[in-house]
Amino acid sequence: MPQGSVISPLLFLIYTKASFFHTTLFADDINLRMSNSCFNVVQTTVNLELRKIDHWLRANKLSLNYNKTIFMVLNSQKHNPTSFKVIINNHSISPEDKLKYLGVLLDNKLSWKPHVQKVKTQLSRACGILSKLKHYTKQSVLKVVYNSLIHPYLNCSILNWGRASNTTIQPLIKLQNRAIKIIKPTRNLYKNRSST
């Protein structure tokens, strides 16, 4: 079965339903999750299940890109995530402190700081564009720019990262307020009175 065919993800999903993993599949991105209160049980089960999945993939002439395969341990303070070993077909997979999944940056403590920093960078750039554009165009165009350069970054998966602490999210709130002030400048009441 060729890689990228429509039936491949469906068959893989059917197969992994028999696995201990919780599976999320989006196009060709697969996310496998497992939890257990015992660190050693998770490590043993993960390696055993990944061995089965790798065997199934190779038996069905599908390939797993070991270089792109990553994992992250959402850890408590009890265990060092670097001690968690994952090996697939004699390829050792190293743990990551953060990873990108469907446009969202996850960190191993779920603090959402890397994602908020990424969004902050995008919003800062967009605010700069808005502040330059306001001298050359009208408010309706600025709103379109806001809706294309700022709003999507704030909305993307906000139900997850929006639960971050207030101190983490505060820079985004400031940037959003700054963008709104650029689009809807407050009227100078003194100037309006003097002109009448």
Side-chain angles (χ1 to χ4, degrees):
M1 194 176 321
Q3 185 177 0
S5 71
V6 176
I7 199 74
S8 299
L10 178 62
L11 289 175
F12 184 76
L13 258 183
I14 292 168
Y15 176 77
T16 54
K17 286 298 176 190
S19 166
F20 287 107
F21 285 116
H22 299 281
T23 308
T24 306
L25 185 68
F26 184 84
D28 64 345
D29 282 341
I30 299 167
N31 181 298
L32 304 171
R33 298 176 315 282
M34 183 175 293
S35 63
N36 194 301
S37 57
C38 181
F39 192 77
N40 293 330
V41 169
V42 172
Q43 180 171 305
T44 306
T45 311
V46 162
N47 281 293
L48 180 66
E49 293 298 312
L50 286 175
R51 195 176 309 130
K52 290 179 188 176
I53 289 171
D54 185 60
H55 177 73
W56 183 89
L57 288 169
R58 286 186 283 118
N60 288 284
K61 296 186 171 68
L62 296 170
S63 61
L64 178 66
N65 189 339
Y66 303 111
N67 295 327
K68 286 187 175 180
T69 303
I70 57 175
F71 81 94
M72 182 173 66
V73 177
L74 299 177
N75 64 322
S76 63
Q77 301 301 323
K78 297 177 186 175
H79 298 286
N80 182 1
T82 56
S83 66
F84 197 95
K85 303 294 180 200
V86 173
I87 298 168
I88 309 172
N89 195 21
N90 296 324
H91 294 274
S92 182
I93 311 296
S94 57
E96 300 285 334
D97 290 337
K98 61 184 178 192
L99 61 87
K100 186 176 182 183
Y101 185 68
L102 301 180
V104 179
L105 282 172
L106 298 164
D107 62 291
N108 61 358
K109 294 184 177 25
L110 289 181
S111 69
W112 302 105
K113 288 178 183 176
H115 183 75
V116 168
Q117 183 57 44
K118 180 187 130 190
V119 173
K120 181 183 169 187
T121 303
Q122 297 294 338
L123 295 191
S124 296
R125 191 176 299 135
C127 283
I129 292 168
L130 278 174
S131 63
K132 288 179 183 176
L133 277 176
K134 75 177 180 180
H135 302 294
Y136 303 104
T137 189
K138 48 190 180 174
Q139 188 180 22
S140 60
V141 175
L142 293 176
K143 285 181 181 177
V144 170
V145 173
Y146 175 89
N147 286 327
S148 59
L149 295 182
I150 293 177
H151 195 255
Y153 286 103
L154 289 173
N155 258 6
C156 180
S157 197
I158 194 165
L159 291 177
N160 294 316
W161 64 264
R163 295 175 172 210
S165 68
N166 288 340
T167 54
T168 302
I169 292 183
Q170 196 59 38
L172 299 184
I173 295 170
K174 286 181 181 177
L175 283 168
Q176 184 184 26
N177 289 339
R178 181 177 150 204
I180 290 169
K181 282 181 184 175
I182 293 168
I183 294 171
K184 298 178 180 177
T186 54
R187 291 181 182 174
N188 188 333
L189 297 176
Y190 179 77
K191 184 179 178 184
N192 289 341
R193 284 177 189 165
S194 62
S195 63
T196 55

